[in-house]
Structures are given as structure tokens and as C-alpha cells.
Amino acid sequence: MEAWAKKLGATRVIWKGVALYAMTGQLVVDFRPGTPQPVRDAAVEKHGLTIINRSEFLDSYLTQVPSGADLESVANTVMKEPVVEKAFPNIITNPP
């Protein structure tokens, strides 16, 4: 693992067949516009996700998956919720 990734708490993941770095165990969940906060909260908590941060402006949450859970499997399950548009790792786009 790259030293910078370890320092940031990131790991190398394979997402949809592409290798990238993402914050360990974190998913970004985007919701359909207009979804009320209690419904959003219930949709992610139902799948064992912990809410780290809410962005009402972006209609998205930053969440933590349970330790040891497979990010892609959790994301695919969460995306089955009718109020969720997409779920994906918290990707590091500009590594040092």
C-alpha cells in the first residue's frame, strides 16, 4: 500500500472492475431529490450503515459500512432502495 494512502486511511479497491483508492469502508449514497431526511436515514441505517455526514445541498450522505463488509455488495444492496439514486466508494480523486 502507498504510504500516503495508509496515512489518510485509504485502501485500494476494485470498483466495477477498476482499481482505485477510496477511504476505507466509506460509501457515498446519493438520494432522489426531495427525499425527506427521516426516509434517507432509515434507508441507510436499514443496511447497517453509519451516517458520517449529511449534505442536503447534494442530496447525499457519507456513510461508514460495517467492518469487514464488501463495499460493492453493500452499495448494490443499498441501491435497491427506491429513494437511492446511487452508492459508490468515497473515492480519492487526486492522490498526492
Side-chain angles (χ1 to χ4, degrees):
M1 177 187 306
E2 303 280 345
W4 65 264
K6 186 174 183 180
K7 185 176 181 180
L8 285 176
T11 54
R12 186 175 167 100
V13 297
I14 305 297
W15 183 256
K16 311 256 183 230
V18 177
L20 48 85
Y21 281 96
M23 296 303 292
T24 303
Q26 293 183 3
L27 282 179
V28 176
V29 180
D30 289 347
F31 296 92
R32 298 195 187 287
T35 303
Q37 182 179 328
V39 175
R40 294 176 187 198
D41 290 356
V44 297
E45 291 169 353
K46 172 182 177 180
H47 299 286
L49 302 176
T50 302
I51 300 165
I52 297 171
N53 192 20
R54 293 177 179 90
S55 174
E56 299 303 320
F57 177 74
L58 298 174
D59 292 319
S60 67
Y61 284 7
L62 175 61
T63 65
Q64 182 74 40
V65 302
S67 181
D70 178 71
L71 282 178
E72 194 162 3
S73 294
V74 174
N76 288 337
T77 301
V78 171
M79 285 192 294
K80 292 177 183 174
E81 293 293 326
V83 297
V84 173
E85 283 193 341
K86 59 187 169 186
F88 51 93
N90 186 12
I91 299 167
I92 298 170
T93 57
N94 291 320

